[in-house]
């Protein structure tokens, strides 16, 4: 085991029946000397309050509130920051979700930590003790909803709603005492596997099929949270086939699950993935807004639109999706990706909390009503492959509970819990390293807001033209003079999808923050940045800096006393990261040097 639970093993006989029982069990296991009286007040739900001091505490909360309060005490005790006085705590969002992209064959789409913990050989198959650890990992940081199967629903995942229901019910029972409710990704065309001739959401037979299916599913798993749907996206079926819109599709499913208190989480990751690169009129980031904004106010109450943080797809840096600032009459969830698909694949370090902070600086917390993240775990012994990638899972839990957490405090807490033997100096070194890792990765991979220079399909390592002449709508359009896309009114006009005061920040290249410059503007390599450097020089400098910082990171990691179970893996991955950083630095600099013909002012090695 790893992550942050190492120090809190659960007794093998533990078999709690409810979250409040779990709370008592975890407290007596983890802090037997701490006196805590538990006071169950059902109406408090997820909320808890704590009063007292280290000689004794009173913890009040609902069923799950007691569990979250217990973990608050356990983690504070372990991190040596138990306090006196009183604490009141309530989560910002009722649904704090993890989305697993696990397939029935046991593979994980964009998974970098081994195979699925839920599936094997086409069906549910798991080790109950590992499921219990997952449930504890989630509960310890307040996460409460888990979608176990890939949003790309491929046969036989459909059987989860059919003959695999009894197995699903057994799995749900393992999570229940930890306050975790399951969710399922569903295939919009599933009625057609059962003799219904269509999946048209306005067809009565289709509606009846889903209503009856929901009844069967909720009979087996009465607390199922709902369904997650990827429709009309990257080959998944959806309402467009029948000339219907996404409100028609989502509302039909919402109607079916409403009697059971279920929700429909409907993803907004929809765009033309068969674009001709010669087509300069289409600009992919505009797609979600164009599709969904006109439907504001048309969705049923139990529909939540799930929106990726950026308008493209989990790149290293993207501006906030305009949908997250718009659609005031629609419930929305923010979707983040813990799996490091474009951000180093759990080989390179990329601590996400600073990036999330930026999202919430741009988006008031109340614009969304739920939060989700694509999981970064798998069946590797330590769950997240890279031992240090667990920091993203941990801090995501804290963020979902309270989006205004300070990234430094959150990261520092994870280190305190995971590496309690570190001195204060070592602790600070690792905190600084993790907090700066995103910017370092960005420096060597993504020049000033340009994404997608990755190797196609695998998405690890550089290939600056890999997606340039492809059909995914992801172009940088670098030529011998200029690079970037003009997304202002004079260009694709994507910028007009934002509220005016937000758009203002990015509208002129003179004022646009450097790190978004080439996302919003097309500029010559000789463009003068505010600090006097040319654009191309800034890009060269960033790449050389990113490589140098990665070297320094390696030295820091070598100097830290990681425990034996983590150290070899951390250093092995660091070596791979260093090779990757060098490759990125050389490939991107060479690519742009060959195009522009402009040498590095400092005469550093760029290949010609
Ligand atoms: C990305 C990712 C896919 C995934 C998709 C999604 O495009 O590469 O593997 O299916 O996002 O979020 O649906």
């Amino acid at each position: 085991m790893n992550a942050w639970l190492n120090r809190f093993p659960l007794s093998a006989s533990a078999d709690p029946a409810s979250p409040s029982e779990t709370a008592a069990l975890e407290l007596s296991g983890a802090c037997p000397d701490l006196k805590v009286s538990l006071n169950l007040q059902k109406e408090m739900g997820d909320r808890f309050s704590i009063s007292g001091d280290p000689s004794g505490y009173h913890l009040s909360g609902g069923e799950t509130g007691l569990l979250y309060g217990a973990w608050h005490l356990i983690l504070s005790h372990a991190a040596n920051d138990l306090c006196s006085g009183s604490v009141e705590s309530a989560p910002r969002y009722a649904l704090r979700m993890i989305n697993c992209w696990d397939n029935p064959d046991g593979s994980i789409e964009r998974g970098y930590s081994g195979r699925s913990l839920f599936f094997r050989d086409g069906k549910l198959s798991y080790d109950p003790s590992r499921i219990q650890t997952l449930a504890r990992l989630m509960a310890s940081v307040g996460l409460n909803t888990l979608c176990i199967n890939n949003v790309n629903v491929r046969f036989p995942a459909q059987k989860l709603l059919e003959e695999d229901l009894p197995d699903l019910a057994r799995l749900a029972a393992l999570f229940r005492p930890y306050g975790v409710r399951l969710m399922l990704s569903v295939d919009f065309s599933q009625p057609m596997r059962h003799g219904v001739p269509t999946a048209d959401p306005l067809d009565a037979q289709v509606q009846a099929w889903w209503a009856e299916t929901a009844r069967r599913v909720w009979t087996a798993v009465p607390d199922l949270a709902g369904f997650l749907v990827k429709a009309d996206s990257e080959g998944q079926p959806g309402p467009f086939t029948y000339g219907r819109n996404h409100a028609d599709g989502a509302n039909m499913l919402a109607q079916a699950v409403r009697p059971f208190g279920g929700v429909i989480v409907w993803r907004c990751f929809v765009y033309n993935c068969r674009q001709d690169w010669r087509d300069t009129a289409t600009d992919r980031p505009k797609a979600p807004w164009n599709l969904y904004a006109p439907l504001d106010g048309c969705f049923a109450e139990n529909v939540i639109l799930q929106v990726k943080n950026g308008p493209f797809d989990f790149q290293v840096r993207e501006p906030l999706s305009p949908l997250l600032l718009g659609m005031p009459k629609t419930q929305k969830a923010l979707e983040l990706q813990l799996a490091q698909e474009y951000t180093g694949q759990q080989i390179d370090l990329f601590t996400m909390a600073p990036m999330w902070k930026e999202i919430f600086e741009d988006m008031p917390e109340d614009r969304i009503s739920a939060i989700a993240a694509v999981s970064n775990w798998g069946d590797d012994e330590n769950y997240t492959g890279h031992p240090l990638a667990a920091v993203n899972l941990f801090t995501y839990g804290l963020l979902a509970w309270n989006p205004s957490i300070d990234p430094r405090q959150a990261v520092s807490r994870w280190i305190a819990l995971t590496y309690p033997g570190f001195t204060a100096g070592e602790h600070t070194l690792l905190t600084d390293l993790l907090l700066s890792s995103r910017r370092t990765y960005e420096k060597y991979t993504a020049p000033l807001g340009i994404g997608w220079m990755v190797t196609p399909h695998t998405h690890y390592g550089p290939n600056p033209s890999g997606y340039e002449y492809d059909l995914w709508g992801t172009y940088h359009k670098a030529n011998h003079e200029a690079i970037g896309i003009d997304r202002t009114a004079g260009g694709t006009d994507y910028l007009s999808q934002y509220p005016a005061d937000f758009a203002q920040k990015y509208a002129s290249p003179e004022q646009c923050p450097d790190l978004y410059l080439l996302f919003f503007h097309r500029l010559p390599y000789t463009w003068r940045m505010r600090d006097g450097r040319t654009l191309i020089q800034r890009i060269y400098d960033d790449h050389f800096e990113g490589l140098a910082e990665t070297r320094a990171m390696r030295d820091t990691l070598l100097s830290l006393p990681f425990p034996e179970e983590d150290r070899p893996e951390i250093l092995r991955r660091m070596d791979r990261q260093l090779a990757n950083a060098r490759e990125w630095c050389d490939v991107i600099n060479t690519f742009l040097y060959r195009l522009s013909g402009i040498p590095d002012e400092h005469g550093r090695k760029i290949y010609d």
Side-chain angles (χ1 to χ4, degrees):
M1 202 211 300
N2 195 296
W4 55 97
L5 286 190
N6 265 350
R7 295 154 67 199
F8 319 112
L10 191 68
S11 75
S13 61
D15 195 13
S18 65
S20 57
E21 268 188 52
T22 309
L25 181 93
E26 298 281 20
L27 274 168
S28 62
C31 332
D33 301 332
L34 201 65
K35 284 206 209 83
V36 185
S37 63
L38 301 183
N39 172 18
L40 176 63
Q41 292 185 15
K42 285 211 159 105
E43 69 289 354
M44 287 180 77
D46 283 353
R47 284 186 297 125
F48 64 85
S49 65
I50 298 172
S51 58
D53 58 43
S55 68
Y57 288 100
H58 298 289
L59 166 61
S60 302
E63 268 291 342
T64 43
L66 286 180
L67 181 60
Y68 302 135
W71 275 109
H72 178 90
L73 285 167
I74 294 167
L75 299 187
S76 304
H77 184 252
N80 280 324
D81 60 7
L82 272 177
C83 42
S84 304
S86 58
V87 178
E88 298 271 336
S89 194
R92 187 70 182 83
Y93 306 115
L95 283 181
R96 304 176 296 280
M97 303 181 263
I98 292 280
N99 293 176
C100 296
W101 287 357
D102 292 23
N103 298 313
D105 66 1
S107 62
I108 303 180
E109 181 147 344
R110 310 305 178 184
Y112 311 104
S113 318
R115 308 272 299 170
S116 172
L117 284 156
F118 308 116
F119 299 100
R120 200 172 42 188
D121 299 336
K123 50 180 186 312
L124 278 170
S125 169
Y126 49 81
D127 169 353
S129 76
R130 297 208 76 182
I131 295 298
Q132 195 171 37
T133 302
L134 273 191
R136 295 180 75 218
L137 282 169
M138 288 184 71
S140 70
V141 289
L143 296 169
N144 68 355
T145 309
L146 177 64
C147 186
I148 56 169
N149 64 316
N150 193 355
V151 287
N152 295 313
V153 184
R154 299 193 186 96
F155 189 78
Q158 289 83 349
K159 288 188 184 171
L160 288 166
L161 302 183
E162 302 165 6
E163 61 261 45
D164 290 351
L165 266 180
D167 292 335
L168 184 73
R170 278 189 283 277
L171 182 66
L174 293 179
F175 279 103
R176 196 167 290 128
Y178 294 87
V180 175
R181 296 165 71 197
L182 297 187
M183 183 174 270
L184 291 177
S185 294
V186 298
D187 165 3
F188 195 79
S189 64
Q190 191 156 344
M192 296 175 77
R193 291 175 21 86
H194 296 270
V196 181
T198 171
D200 181 349
L202 301 193
D203 181 280
Q205 262 179 289
V206 172
Q207 294 165 358
W209 187 87
W210 279 109
E212 170 55 18
T213 298
R215 194 194 55 73
R216 271 189 305 105
V217 170
W218 265 268
T219 303
V221 186
D223 58 353
L224 193 81
F227 293 152
L228 175 63
V229 192
K230 172 174 178 177
D232 292 313
S233 169
E234 299 183 332
Q236 292 301 297
F240 286 168
T241 310
Y242 311 97
R244 312 299 183 196
N245 68 32
H246 277 208
D248 295 329
N251 292 347
M252 179 274 292
L253 291 174
Q255 169 92 20
V257 305
R258 182 182 298 125
F260 316 102
V263 294
I264 298 301
V265 179
W266 188 272
R267 297 178 82 232
C268 296
F269 181 63
V270 183
Y271 66 100
N272 174 10
C273 65
R274 307 210 60 82
Q275 185 178 333
D276 186 330
W277 60 269
R278 299 167 193 83
D279 161 15
T280 49
T282 308
D283 185 21
R284 170 167 161 183
K286 293 173 76 174
W289 175 272
N290 287 345
L291 190 65
Y292 291 98
L295 298 178
D296 190 26
C298 300
F299 290 93
E301 265 173 28
N302 57 332
V303 172
I304 301 175
L305 296 189
Q306 186 164 293
V307 184
K308 290 188 181 185
N309 61 279
F312 260 124
D313 185 8
F314 300 136
Q315 298 302 292
V316 173
R317 181 172 298 272
E318 293 183 47
L320 188 72
S321 169
L323 279 181
L324 292 166
L325 293 177
M327 301 196 72
K329 291 180 260 169
T330 305
Q331 292 203 78
K332 294 173 297 286
L334 169 68
E335 180 177 326
L336 305 168
Q337 191 187 41
L338 307 179
Q340 290 174 235
E341 175 179 359
Y342 295 98
T343 53
Q345 306 204 347
Q346 284 142 255
I347 300 164
D348 299 28
L349 289 168
F350 190 106
T351 298
M352 297 178 176
M355 180 165 103
W356 302 332
K357 176 93 190 150
E358 292 167 6
I359 294 171
F360 280 97
E361 275 164 7
D362 281 344
M363 178 190 69
E365 289 170 27
D366 61 3
R367 293 297 176 101
I368 55 169
S369 52
I371 186 162
V374 180
S375 140
N376 62 352
W377 70 47
D379 75 350
D380 278 0
E381 175 68 17
N382 64 14
Y383 291 87
T384 53
H386 197 313
L388 301 177
V391 73
N392 288 329
L393 181 58
F394 179 87
T395 49
Y396 167 64
L398 303 196
L399 177 94
W401 188 275
N402 172 15
S404 42
I405 48 147
D406 170 39
R408 186 170 196 90
Q409 266 179 22
V411 167
S412 162
R413 194 167 180 77
W414 178 78
I415 297 171
L417 293 167
T418 308
Y419 301 120
F422 279 17
T423 63
E426 290 158 353
H427 183 109
T428 305
L429 272 178
L430 185 58
T431 310
D432 290 343
L433 181 151
L434 291 179
L435 286 169
S436 60
S437 60
R438 180 263 189 137
R439 182 69 195 114
T440 296
Y441 185 85
E442 177 176 25
K443 281 185 181 172
Y444 63 77
T445 57
L448 307 178
I450 293 278
W452 300 107
M453 287 186 159
V454 289
T455 306
H457 312 302
T458 67
H459 299 168
Y460 188 76
N463 187 343
S465 293
Y467 276 128
E468 197 57 21
Y469 304 101
D470 215 330
L471 33 73
W472 302 91
T474 49
Y475 316 117
H476 53 69
K477 301 195 178 160
N479 66 13
H480 68 293
E481 286 173 326
I483 178 169
I485 311 289
D486 181 357
R487 295 196 160 98
T488 68
T492 73
D493 204 25
Y494 161 77
L495 200 59
S496 70
Q497 296 183 344
Y498 290 105
D501 55 339
F502 192 89
Q504 188 57 34
K505 286 194 289 190
Y506 302 103
S508 76
E510 288 81 10
Q511 309 220 313
C512 180
D514 289 353
L515 298 179
Y516 295 90
L517 199 56
L518 298 177
F519 188 100
F520 286 105
H521 300 280
R522 177 166 185 79
L523 294 170
Y525 298 113
T526 50
W527 171 263
R528 283 280 159 201
M529 310 284 292
R530 278 187 296 267
D531 66 7
R533 284 184 282 179
T534 59
L535 177 81
I536 188 77
Q537 190 58 41
R538 170 66 195 268
I539 296 177
Y540 292 153
D541 288 351
D542 272 10
H543 282 76
F544 285 120
E545 270 171 43
L547 178 56
E549 285 170 20
T550 308
R551 289 202 176 102
M553 246 181 201
R554 183 170 179 277
D555 294 341
T556 304
L557 290 183
L558 274 169
S559 77
L560 290 170
F562 290 108
E564 246 345 279
E565 76 214 59
D566 288 358
R567 188 178 171 81
E569 199 55 51
I570 290 175
L571 297 182
R572 244 195 317 271
R573 286 175 196 244
M574 187 68 238
D575 285 343
R576 291 175 70 188
Q577 172 168 3
L578 191 52
N580 190 38
R582 174 156 185 249
E583 196 64 9
W584 270 100
C585 173
D586 287 345
V587 169
I588 301 299
N589 283 349
T590 300
F591 174 73
L592 292 175
Y593 170 61
R594 286 180 182 170
L595 278 175
S596 68
I598 302 174
D600 171 39
E601 281 171 9
H602 306 294
R604 289 163 294 192
K605 180 73 187 165
I606 299 183
Y607 295 80
D608 47 23

